[in-house]
Amino acid sequence: QVQLVESGGGLVQAGGSLRLSCTASGIIWSMTTLGWYRQNPGKQRELVATIRSGRDPTYADSVQGRFTISKDTAKRTLFLQMNGLKHDDTAVYYCYARISPETYWGQGTQVTVSS
């Protein structure tokens, strides 16, 4: 059974940093695409970053150069380091794991950036 549990969200001032964590169980890390989406009420879910063994991470243009996705397989944890946060980064952030054809989601963690 795949389980994803996010943590690390919160309230931060513009220009600040946060690191999100997602502890994943029930997956084979080398065979799983992992990543982060974000969503605001009334808006489409936006892909923020992805990571997979043997491939370079990918990022949305809106976060390129500010966010870094990484993973620690020994700790079974996915990270999203967010620097230079902007008000537009405010959203609920969800980690996901794609084991084709299935996609699994965490419960989400709120990130709020004050202007």
Side-chain angles (χ1 to χ4, degrees):
Q1 182 179 3
V2 177
Q3 287 189 322
L4 305 172
V5 180
E6 301 106 331
S7 62
L11 174 63
V12 64
Q13 288 188 333
S17 298
L18 281 175
R19 188 174 80 158
L20 305 182
S21 300
C22 174
T23 301
S25 59
I27 66 171
I28 301 174
W29 285 77
S30 62
M31 299 177 63
T32 304
T33 297
L34 297 154
W36 296 89
Y37 273 82
R38 65 187 181 186
Q39 187 170 26
N40 276 317
K43 294 188 177 181
Q44 283 191 327
R45 191 169 287 189
E46 176 188 14
L47 179 60
V48 176
T50 65
I51 189 169
R52 183 184 169 98
S53 294
R55 300 180 183 176
D56 292 334
T58 61
Y59 299 92
D61 289 344
S62 58
V63 306
Q64 183 77 44
R66 299 187 298 123
F67 290 11
T68 303
I69 188 170
S70 63
K71 60 182 179 178
D72 185 332
T73 54
K75 296 182 178 180
R76 302 183 299 159
T77 304
L78 176 71
F79 300 101
L80 185 68
Q81 178 67 43
M82 305 185 293
N83 299 328
L85 282 161
K86 305 175 181 180
H87 179 68
D88 286 350
D89 295 319
T90 296
V92 177
Y93 285 71
Y94 299 88
C95 72
Y96 78 93
R98 182 168 296 123
I99 308 168
S100 188
E102 301 292 334
T103 299
Y104 302 89
W105 299 92
Q107 81 285 358
T109 186
Q110 176 71 47
V111 171
T112 303
V113 184
S114 62
S115 302

